[in-house]
């Protein structure tokens, strides 16, 4: 490889998205083209709420892709504790022995949901379920690619984005331009904070490739998950129509009041605050999920 070609690849990661149709989630493998080292971002553990069955098909597809491409896995990353799917971080950690990581404010989410689930005192709210907790502005590497952690709360209080070379993985802060922005009414969510996080992302260079966490194919279009800062600024329906903080917050809060809670929020959070691990087996050897009744209806979510 010539120096010129190497220079053109440096800072330009290879990104492969895997769309999970049941949840609309996007899982990512991001790789350094020079060293072939990679990370997984927001992996999904399959779950059927009707039968209670779990499976690892989605996560295994990521490992198959990594093996096929000749990559070496260095990190298993989550952007936040998800409300619509189970994280497969714990499963992948067990399979690969590769470290897991999330933002350091996950401990605040753990404390909040520990109360909502009435979890025992033995449940740890120190983030020790992950190998690494990232602070805002912290940097690490994937191969020779430098990664910057950006705290982007609003959708949840613990949400972070990963800026990798000329890309940023922005989870549920912004969707594709025709879908607008993420809701901010989950426990710990905040529309004012969401606006500030969006502005932080919009301050990145125009050509920055943005990879979102979900896509539901509005109006029947094919799922999509890549845009740019310039495109979002010009076309995002919530930014172009509600271009001030005041207008955006009014829109977001009014819209969120009309949205039903995600079907899996009460199922998934008790897994995801454990680092993507199912509850421990009980005396009969089976694992059980707790569903707190009336826990979200009319609750005060906090700031």
């Amino acid at each position: 490889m010539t120096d010129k070609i190497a220079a053109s690849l440096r800072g330009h990661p290879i990104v492969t998205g895997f769309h999970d149709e049941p949840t609309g989630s996007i899982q990512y493998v991001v790789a350094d083209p020079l060293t072939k080292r990679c990370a997984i971002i927001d992996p999904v553990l399959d779950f059927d709420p009707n039968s209670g069955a779990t499976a690892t098909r989605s996560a295994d597809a990521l490992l198959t892709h990594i093996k096929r491409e000749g990559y070496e896995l260095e990190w298993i990353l989550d952007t936040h504790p998800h409300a619509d799917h189970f994280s497969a971080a714990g499963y992948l950690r067990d399979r690969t022995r590769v470290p897991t990581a999330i933002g350091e404010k996950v401990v605040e989410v753990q404390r909040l949901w520990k109360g909502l689930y009435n979890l025992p005192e033995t449940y740890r709210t120190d983030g020790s379920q992950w190998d690494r907790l990232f602070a805002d502005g912290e940097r690490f590497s994937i191969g020779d690619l430098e990664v910057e952690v950006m705290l982007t709360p609003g959708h949840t209080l613990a949400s972070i984005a990963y800026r990798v070379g000329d890309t940023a993985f922005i989870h549920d802060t912004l969707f594709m331009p025709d879908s607008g922005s993420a809701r901010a009414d989950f426990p710990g969510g905040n529309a004012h904070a969401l606006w500030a996080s969006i502005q932080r992302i919009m301050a990145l260079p125009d050509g920055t490739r943005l990879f979102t966490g979900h896509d539901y194919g509005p109006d029947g279009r094919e799922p999509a998950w890549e845009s740019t800062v310039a495109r979002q600024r010009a076309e995002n329906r919530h930014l172009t129509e509600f271009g001030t903080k005041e207008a955006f917050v009014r829109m977001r809060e009014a819209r969120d009041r009309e949205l039903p809670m995600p079907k899996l929020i009460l199922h998934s959070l008790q897994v995801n605050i454990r680092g993507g691990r199912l509850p421990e087996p009980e005396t009969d050897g089976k694992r059980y999920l707790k569903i707190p009744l009336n826990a979200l209806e009319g609750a005060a979510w906090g700031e």
Side-chain angles (χ1 to χ4, degrees):
M1 182 181 296
T2 67
D3 290 344
K4 185 175 181 180
I5 293 174
S8 70
L9 293 176
R10 190 168 293 113
H12 187 75
I14 300 170
V15 179
T16 307
F18 297 78
H19 181 254
D20 179 60
E21 186 174 353
T23 65
S25 305
I26 317 298
Q27 311 169 91
Y28 290 103
V29 174
V30 52
D32 176 5
L34 296 178
T35 66
K36 297 291 189 178
R37 301 192 174 223
C38 72
I40 289 172
I41 300 179
D42 289 336
V44 172
L45 184 70
D46 305 299
F47 173 66
D48 177 10
N50 294 325
S51 67
T54 62
T56 62
R57 291 182 298 272
S58 295
D60 289 336
L62 305 179
L63 297 178
T64 298
H65 172 77
I66 289 168
K67 182 177 181 180
R68 182 172 58 244
E69 295 299 318
Y71 295 156
E72 182 178 348
L73 183 63
E74 287 193 320
W75 288 99
I76 301 161
L77 308 172
D78 268 311
T79 54
H80 64 290
H82 306 276
D84 52 12
H85 68 263
F86 292 6
S87 169
Y91 164 73
L92 290 169
R93 175 70 169 85
D94 292 343
R95 276 287 309 273
T96 67
R97 316 313 298 174
V98 168
T100 59
I102 200 169
E104 65 177 1
K105 288 189 177 293
V106 73
V107 298
E108 298 179 32
V109 178
Q110 288 181 315
R111 294 182 193 120
L112 177 62
W113 284 89
K114 179 177 182 177
L116 285 169
Y117 287 122
N118 192 32
L119 296 177
E121 286 302 313
T122 54
Y123 170 73
R124 304 184 307 278
T125 58
D126 58 1
S128 58
Q129 296 85 352
W130 291 266
D131 295 294
R132 181 93 169 261
L133 300 182
F134 290 126
D136 183 34
E138 193 166 347
R139 296 172 187 269
F140 63 102
S141 64
I142 301 169
D144 290 340
L145 292 169
E146 184 177 70
V147 185
E148 177 188 2
V149 176
M150 300 172 61
L151 178 64
T152 51
H155 176 63
T156 76
L157 59 82
S159 297
I160 59 173
Y162 296 102
R163 186 181 181 191
V164 189
D166 66 353
T167 73
F169 296 86
I170 59 172
H171 61 88
D172 303 343
T173 300
L174 286 173
F175 297 135
M176 294 301 288
D178 58 354
S179 296
S181 61
R183 65 192 299 165
D185 63 328
F186 295 158
N190 184 284
H192 295 268
L194 181 63
W195 172 261
S197 295
I198 290 171
Q199 298 313 304
R200 186 176 186 186
I201 292 168
M202 291 297 94
L204 296 174
D206 283 358
T208 303
R209 297 183 292 158
L210 301 180
F211 293 92
T212 192
H214 291 91
D215 190 68
Y216 306 103
D219 300 321
R221 71 156 169 76
E222 289 297 310
W225 44 84
E226 179 179 353
S227 61
T228 64
V229 168
R231 183 182 171 197
Q232 289 282 357
R233 192 182 295 120
E235 300 178 19
N236 187 284
R237 58 193 295 260
H238 289 169
L239 300 185
T240 56
E241 188 174 349
F242 308 99
T244 67
K245 178 180 178 180
E246 293 74 18
F248 176 86
V249 169
R250 283 197 302 270
M251 175 278 299
R252 191 68 267 169
E253 291 181 343
R255 180 175 174 80
D256 289 348
R257 283 192 293 269
E258 299 175 353
L259 294 175
M261 280 287 134
K263 293 179 180 179
L264 296 184
I265 184 170
L266 292 175
H267 304 73
S268 63
L269 261 299
Q270 60 195 292
V271 172
N272 295 339
I273 61 173
R274 289 181 166 96
R277 296 185 183 278
L278 300 175
E280 290 298 316
E282 298 193 7
T283 55
D284 61 357
K286 297 178 182 177
R287 303 175 190 267
Y288 293 85
L289 297 176
K290 293 180 68 173
I291 302 298
L293 302 180
N294 304 311
L296 299 183
E297 184 179 2
W301 302 145
E303 296 301 321

